mmCIF file of all heavy atoms in Angstrom:
data_model
loop_
_atom_site.group_PDB
_atom_site.id
_atom_site.type_symbol
_atom_site.label_atom_id
_atom_site.label_comp_id
_atom_site.label_asym_id
_atom_site.label_seq_id
_atom_site.Cartn_x
_atom_site.Cartn_y
_atom_site.Cartn_z
ATOM 1 N N LYS A 290 2.075 22.600 -1.041
ATOM 2 C CA LYS A 290 2.779 23.813 -1.483
ATOM 3 C C LYS A 290 2.609 24.018 -2.985
ATOM 4 O O LYS A 290 2.412 25.143 -3.446
ATOM 5 C CB LYS A 290 4.265 23.725 -1.123
ATOM 6 C CG LYS A 290 4.545 24.007 0.334
ATOM 7 C CD LYS A 290 5.998 23.859 0.705
ATOM 8 C CE LYS A 290 6.938 24.566 -0.202
ATOM 9 N NZ LYS A 290 8.339 24.483 0.235
ATOM 10 N N LEU A 291 2.672 22.941 -3.765
ATOM 11 C CA LEU A 291 2.508 23.061 -5.213
ATOM 12 C C LEU A 291 1.091 23.481 -5.575
ATOM 13 O O LEU A 291 0.888 24.296 -6.466
ATOM 14 C CB LEU A 291 2.884 21.758 -5.909
ATOM 15 C CG LEU A 291 4.377 21.454 -5.908
ATOM 16 C CD1 LEU A 291 4.639 20.055 -6.423
ATOM 17 C CD2 LEU A 291 5.135 22.478 -6.724
ATOM 18 N N ARG A 292 0.095 22.962 -4.860
ATOM 19 C CA ARG A 292 -1.286 23.383 -5.119
ATOM 20 C C ARG A 292 -1.458 24.860 -4.793
ATOM 21 O O ARG A 292 -2.127 25.590 -5.526
ATOM 22 C CB ARG A 292 -2.267 22.527 -4.326
ATOM 23 C CG ARG A 292 -2.473 21.140 -4.925
ATOM 24 C CD ARG A 292 -3.602 20.401 -4.242
ATOM 25 N NE ARG A 292 -3.374 20.156 -2.825
ATOM 26 C CZ ARG A 292 -2.621 19.179 -2.335
ATOM 27 N NH1 ARG A 292 -2.020 18.344 -3.152
ATOM 28 N NH2 ARG A 292 -2.468 19.029 -1.040
ATOM 29 N N LEU A 293 -0.851 25.311 -3.716
ATOM 30 C CA LEU A 293 -0.919 26.737 -3.371
ATOM 31 C C LEU A 293 -0.233 27.583 -4.435
ATOM 32 O O LEU A 293 -0.725 28.648 -4.806
ATOM 33 C CB LEU A 293 -0.275 26.999 -2.003
ATOM 34 C CG LEU A 293 -1.049 26.529 -0.791
ATOM 35 C CD1 LEU A 293 -0.222 26.736 0.477
ATOM 36 C CD2 LEU A 293 -2.375 27.244 -0.687
ATOM 37 N N LEU A 294 0.901 27.105 -4.923
ATOM 38 C CA LEU A 294 1.629 27.820 -5.963
ATOM 39 C C LEU A 294 0.771 27.961 -7.218
ATOM 40 O O LEU A 294 0.658 29.049 -7.777
ATOM 41 C CB LEU A 294 2.927 27.074 -6.294
ATOM 42 C CG LEU A 294 3.768 27.630 -7.428
ATOM 43 C CD1 LEU A 294 4.292 29.016 -7.076
ATOM 44 C CD2 LEU A 294 4.934 26.704 -7.710
ATOM 45 N N LEU A 295 0.142 26.871 -7.645
ATOM 46 C CA LEU A 295 -0.730 26.944 -8.811
ATOM 47 C C LEU A 295 -1.888 27.898 -8.559
ATOM 48 O O LEU A 295 -2.224 28.716 -9.411
ATOM 49 C CB LEU A 295 -1.267 25.554 -9.159
ATOM 50 C CG LEU A 295 -0.357 24.682 -9.985
ATOM 51 C CD1 LEU A 295 -0.896 23.268 -10.051
ATOM 52 C CD2 LEU A 295 -0.191 25.251 -11.372
ATOM 53 N N GLY A 296 -2.484 27.803 -7.398
ATOM 54 C CA GLY A 296 -3.612 28.665 -7.061
ATOM 55 C C GLY A 296 -3.257 30.132 -7.064
ATOM 56 O O GLY A 296 -4.091 30.984 -7.362
ATOM 57 N N ALA A 297 -2.010 30.437 -6.785
ATOM 58 C CA ALA A 297 -1.582 31.840 -6.731
ATOM 59 C C ALA A 297 -1.680 32.523 -8.086
ATOM 60 O O ALA A 297 -1.734 33.745 -8.157
ATOM 61 C CB ALA A 297 -0.147 31.922 -6.212
ATOM 62 N N TYR A 298 -1.730 31.754 -9.178
ATOM 63 C CA TYR A 298 -1.790 32.353 -10.512
ATOM 64 C C TYR A 298 -3.202 32.446 -11.067
ATOM 65 O O TYR A 298 -3.424 33.119 -12.062
ATOM 66 C CB TYR A 298 -0.896 31.578 -11.482
ATOM 67 C CG TYR A 298 0.541 31.678 -11.068
ATOM 68 C CD1 TYR A 298 1.207 30.598 -10.527
ATOM 69 C CD2 TYR A 298 1.217 32.888 -11.156
ATOM 70 C CE1 TYR A 298 2.521 30.708 -10.096
ATOM 71 C CE2 TYR A 298 2.523 32.999 -10.730
ATOM 72 C CZ TYR A 298 3.163 31.903 -10.203
ATOM 73 O OH TYR A 298 4.453 32.021 -9.778
ATOM 74 N N PHE A 299 -4.164 31.793 -10.439
ATOM 75 C CA PHE A 299 -5.519 31.825 -10.974
ATOM 76 C C PHE A 299 -6.198 33.173 -10.748
ATOM 77 O O PHE A 299 -6.808 33.709 -11.677
ATOM 78 C CB PHE A 299 -6.357 30.684 -10.401
ATOM 79 C CG PHE A 299 -6.023 29.368 -11.033
ATOM 80 C CD1 PHE A 299 -5.130 28.500 -10.433
ATOM 81 C CD2 PHE A 299 -6.568 29.021 -12.255
ATOM 82 C CE1 PHE A 299 -4.800 27.300 -11.027
ATOM 83 C CE2 PHE A 299 -6.249 27.820 -12.864
ATOM 84 C CZ PHE A 299 -5.366 26.955 -12.244
ATOM 85 N N GLU A 300 -6.090 33.731 -9.560
ATOM 86 C CA GLU A 300 -6.748 35.019 -9.298
ATOM 87 C C GLU A 300 -6.201 36.139 -10.177
ATOM 88 O O GLU A 300 -6.979 36.866 -10.791
ATOM 89 C CB GLU A 300 -6.655 35.394 -7.827
ATOM 90 C CG GLU A 300 -7.451 36.651 -7.516
ATOM 91 C CD GLU A 300 -7.480 36.987 -6.048
ATOM 92 O OE1 GLU A 300 -7.104 36.145 -5.215
ATOM 93 O OE2 GLU A 300 -7.881 38.111 -5.745
ATOM 94 N N PRO A 301 -4.874 36.301 -10.292
ATOM 95 C CA PRO A 301 -4.382 37.361 -11.186
ATOM 96 C C PRO A 301 -4.859 37.178 -12.625
ATOM 97 O O PRO A 301 -5.152 38.159 -13.309
ATOM 98 C CB PRO A 301 -2.856 37.226 -11.108
ATOM 99 C CG PRO A 301 -2.597 36.553 -9.814
ATOM 100 C CD PRO A 301 -3.785 35.656 -9.579
ATOM 101 N N LEU A 302 -4.980 35.931 -13.069
ATOM 102 C CA LEU A 302 -5.431 35.700 -14.438
ATOM 103 C C LEU A 302 -6.926 35.964 -14.590
ATOM 104 O O LEU A 302 -7.379 36.333 -15.667
ATOM 105 C CB LEU A 302 -5.068 34.288 -14.904
ATOM 106 C CG LEU A 302 -3.581 34.133 -15.215
ATOM 107 C CD1 LEU A 302 -3.206 32.669 -15.363
ATOM 108 C CD2 LEU A 302 -3.220 34.912 -16.467
ATOM 109 N N LEU A 303 -7.680 35.801 -13.518
ATOM 110 C CA LEU A 303 -9.094 36.181 -13.569
ATOM 111 C C LEU A 303 -9.226 37.692 -13.697
ATOM 112 O O LEU A 303 -10.089 38.193 -14.418
ATOM 113 C CB LEU A 303 -9.831 35.694 -12.318
ATOM 114 C CG LEU A 303 -10.081 34.200 -12.221
ATOM 115 C CD1 LEU A 303 -10.669 33.853 -10.862
ATOM 116 C CD2 LEU A 303 -11.000 33.736 -13.340
#
Side-chain angles (χ1 to χ4, degrees):
K290 282 177 49 176
L291 289 171
R292 284 189 298 280
L293 287 175
L294 176 64
L295 277 170
Y298 296 108
F299 284 96
E300 186 175 347
L302 286 167
L303 288 173

